[in-house]
Amino acid sequence: MVSPIRIGNLRNPNETMRLVVTIFVGVVIGFFVGVSFPTLSLTKMNLPSTLFPSIDLSYIEEKYSGFSTQALLNSWSSLKGNEVRTEKYVSQETKIWVPTNPRGAESLPPGIIASESDFYLRRLWGLPSEDLLVKPKYLVTFTVGYAQKKNVDAAVKKFSENFTILLFHYDGLTSEWDEFEWSKRAIHVSIQKQTKWWYAKRFLHPDIVAPYEYIFIWDEDLGLEHFNAEKYIKLVKKHGLEISQPGLEPNRGLTWQMTKRRGDSEVHMQTEEKPGWCNDPHLPPCAAFVEIMAPVFSRDAWRCVWHMIQNDLVHGWGLDFALRRCVAPAHKKIGVVDAQWIVHQGVPSLGNQGKAEGGRAPWEGVRERCRREWTMFQARMASAEKAYFEEMGIDPPSSTAH
């Protein structure tokens, strides 16, 4: 038989009930007084040890660490109907947002941003800082088909280890080039039936080629017997050329007088053309002009030119007349290097990648599109320029000399 519980020497049940209510109210008040001090740590209270002779305060905090003061505070706030989300304010204060970061990377700390890249080959082992024995300072690209392998092999050998070699393969053949020792160190990109300007727009973004002082974007049908890349770079630097090309052998068919090699100079930047071709001696094709078969760009000039290349116009016709917009004064910073010259062999290999239709040969459709793109590019440039000057309320300049 269980004995009844005796609470002191209470005289009647009313006193018993009053005591129980008092104890309950005291517990409730003590709870809410406790949560009103969320930062109070028992282990840091400087209380006389005689007050709690048998309680390990550190043990209590560790034992009930799962019941955080923050959780209790949130519970108390919700009971009041005015929930306080302290975590939100903390996250707002510590959130990273840097408007000067590259677009899309504003939430990153600036110190972690790697906004530029390169074509340097890396190992799968060892320390990254020890990967590169040599860092090439220049980049040369050739858009190639395997049928021109002998000519490309001879051309590539004209470039020293200071150059990264990048081949764009329009015929889909890449591993076949491994017969050449240099090919194993080159970068190979293969998409069939595409032009070099299609490749350039997609794989030569200025932030990718930023480590290179000069970028060569060349065709595959160039004879480089009389060309030395290192000497060419020296002449470009000497004469302050931002956009250039080697002189072309004058005994072969030429379209423009400007790109014809001169035997009595290192570099030339102006020429005379057929009557009526040059309304301004400082404008193309009499100045500020190189062709698109073998252009060489400084790092800064290429950053501008890349943005001017249209995404859907792949042959580059008309681009040579617009290059002047990327340097100033253009008639002094665009030129032809006569002392290092090349031969344009005129092999229509890419033209044969076209499609025969309507009774026409593949190259005919390719050539027709080239001409159409030239007209389209000129129209786009004229329209964009007109819109800009109209918005600014000023008259367009008439010459690069101004």
Side-chain angles (χ1 to χ4, degrees):
M1 181 175 181
V2 180
S3 301
I5 299 176
R6 299 177 181 275
I7 304 177
N9 295 319
L10 299 178
R11 296 179 179 180
N12 56 60
N14 290 336
E15 291 183 355
T16 302
M17 182 59 67
R18 186 182 299 110
L19 179 59
V20 171
V21 171
T22 302
I23 294 173
F24 176 80
V25 172
V27 171
V28 173
I29 293 175
F31 169 78
F32 290 121
V33 170
V35 299
S36 299
F37 300 94
T39 59
L40 183 62
S41 174
L42 293 175
T43 57
K44 296 180 181 179
M45 294 175 60
N46 296 320
L47 299 176
S49 60
T50 56
L51 293 179
F52 302 100
S54 61
I55 300 177
D56 187 344
L57 299 181
S58 298
Y59 169 79
I60 291 176
E61 284 206 329
E62 180 179 352
K63 180 72 174 178
Y64 297 100
S65 60
F67 298 95
S68 66
T69 304
Q70 185 64 60
L72 294 174
L73 179 61
N74 289 342
S75 299
W76 167 236
S77 300
S78 63
L79 288 175
K80 295 190 299 180
N82 185 26
E83 185 175 1
V84 179
R85 298 186 180 276
T86 307
E87 303 99 318
K88 179 178 180 181
Y89 298 118
V90 172
S91 64
Q92 288 293 343
E93 292 174 358
T94 59
K95 182 177 181 180
I96 294 174
W97 188 259
V98 186
T100 55
N101 281 358
R103 185 176 64 178
E106 294 87 353
S107 62
L108 296 178
I112 198 61
I113 291 176
S115 61
E116 297 177 349
S117 187
D118 54 61
F119 289 115
Y120 300 149
L121 301 181
R122 297 286 181 172
R123 303 177 302 174
L124 303 180
W125 65 92
L127 296 175
S129 60
E130 298 174 354
D131 284 347
L132 305 176
L133 299 178
V134 176
K135 281 190 176 182
K137 296 186 293 183
Y138 318 114
L139 172 68
V140 57
T141 76
F142 291 95
T143 304
V144 303
Y146 191 61
Q148 298 297 319
K149 66 175 183 177
K150 291 184 179 179
N151 192 64
V152 173
D153 174 50
V156 167
K157 290 176 179 177
K158 292 290 185 174
F159 295 87
S160 70
E161 65 178 4
N162 274 330
F163 289 81
T164 292
I165 307 297
L166 173 56
L167 297 188
F168 296 131
H169 300 271
Y170 61 76
D171 61 356
L173 302 178
T174 56
S175 58
E176 289 79 0
W177 291 80
D178 284 348
E179 66 181 274
F180 303 112
E181 189 276 334
W182 55 262
S183 177
K184 299 173 184 177
R185 302 188 309 273
I187 309 296
H188 297 264
V189 179
S190 176
I191 298 93
Q192 294 189 43
K193 298 182 182 296
Q194 300 301 323
T195 72
K196 72 175 181 181
W197 298 110
W198 184 92
Y199 282 109
K201 187 64 174 178
R202 287 151 183 83
F203 296 98
L204 299 182
H205 187 281
D207 289 342
I208 300 296
V209 301
Y212 304 105
E213 295 179 33
Y214 293 92
I215 299 99
F216 294 57
I217 304 180
W218 283 19
D219 290 348
E220 63 181 340
D221 60 341
L222 303 175
L224 274 62
E225 182 181 354
H226 305 284
F227 179 83
N228 180 286
E230 293 285 352
K231 292 181 179 179
Y232 182 91
I233 292 293
K234 289 181 180 179
L235 290 172
V236 165
K237 291 181 176 180
K238 175 181 176 181
H239 293 275
L241 299 180
E242 297 290 323
I243 300 175
S244 63
Q245 75 161 76
L248 297 177
E249 167 58 51
N251 295 326
R252 304 295 292 268
L254 297 174
T255 302
W256 309 106
Q257 291 296 314
M258 178 65 185
T259 55
K260 181 189 294 186
R261 172 188 172 242
R262 297 178 183 176
D264 58 352
S265 65
E266 287 185 336
V267 169
H268 73 270
M269 287 161 277
Q270 291 179 273
T271 192
E272 292 185 2
E273 265 292 355
K274 298 175 183 178
W277 279 30
C278 297
N279 296 325
D280 189 318
H282 293 109
L283 293 177
C286 286
F289 178 77
V290 296
E291 296 187 65
I292 58 174
M293 70 180 72
V296 179
F297 303 95
S298 71
R299 180 193 295 119
D300 291 339
W302 177 246
R303 182 168 290 277
C304 171
V305 172
W306 184 90
H307 285 280
M308 187 168 59
I309 298 172
Q310 304 293 286
N311 201 56
D312 59 330
L313 306 184
V314 298
H315 288 289
W317 281 38
L319 190 64
D320 40 13
F321 278 77
L323 295 176
R324 62 186 179 84
R325 300 173 186 274
C326 286
V327 294
H331 65 284
K332 293 184 178 180
K333 293 192 175 183
I334 298 178
V336 175
V337 178
D338 299 301
Q340 294 296 317
W341 51 283
I342 61 177
V343 175
H344 184 211
Q345 299 166 343
V347 178
S349 50
L350 185 58
N352 292 332
Q353 296 291 310
K355 182 178 180 181
E357 56 185 4
R360 298 187 304 174
W363 68 267
E364 292 182 274
V366 172
R367 182 53 60 94
E368 181 181 359
R369 172 156 177 162
C370 288
R371 295 193 179 99
R372 184 180 293 118
E373 285 195 5
W374 190 358
T375 301
M376 294 172 68
F377 182 82
Q378 286 179 313
R380 291 182 190 183
M381 180 61 75
S383 177
E385 189 175 61
K386 179 181 178 182
Y388 170 79
F389 286 116
E390 286 181 352
E391 181 180 352
M392 299 297 294
I394 57 178
D395 294 329
S398 59
S399 172
T400 57
H402 297 158

